[in-house]
Amino acid sequence: MSRLYGDPIEVWTRDGEPTQFVWRDRLYLVRRVLDHWVVAREWWKTGENDPGERQFWRVEASPGREAGTYELRFDTASGGWLLLRAWD
């Protein structure tokens, strides 16, 4: 079962992929990327140079021993990240 959140998070990347993130004051290390996709919509554009893209990453990550699955979203216009969903 998954839960929806939409919480802002801080993310560190290497070679364009998330490597760790902070969610609710806990540091999560990304063990592996499970999936990555990009969605572009015209109405997301905020200006002429904005591609109107959202990048989605499904990752396996953990703040300790127990790993979980998390869906992260990067907004190309704002440069901000959200944790959208977490699976039990």
Side-chain angles (χ1 to χ4, degrees):
M1 182 168 95
S2 69
R3 291 194 172 96
L4 296 174
Y5 293 98
D7 294 344
I9 56 174
E10 187 173 354
V11 177
W12 289 264
T13 62
R14 184 181 311 123
D15 299 326
E17 292 189 357
T19 57
Q20 56 187 10
F21 59 92
V22 173
W23 179 45
R24 297 184 174 177
D25 297 323
R26 294 181 76 184
L27 178 65
Y28 289 74
L29 300 177
V30 175
R31 294 182 177 187
R32 65 187 177 121
V33 173
L34 303 172
D35 200 2
H36 173 243
W37 64 98
V38 177
V39 177
R41 298 285 188 261
E42 190 67 29
W43 64 83
W44 285 340
K45 290 185 176 187
T46 59
E48 185 108 358
N49 296 327
D50 178 12
E53 290 181 351
R54 305 290 192 272
Q55 295 184 23
F56 296 84
W57 299 85
R58 187 162 298 147
V59 300
E60 181 182 279
S62 71
R65 291 186 200 183
E66 298 259 345
T69 301
Y70 303 90
E71 189 170 291
L72 315 179
R73 186 189 85 187
F74 177 70
D75 183 337
T76 56
S78 70
W81 288 85
L82 296 177
L83 186 137
L84 292 181
R85 184 183 306 255
W87 281 264
D88 293 339

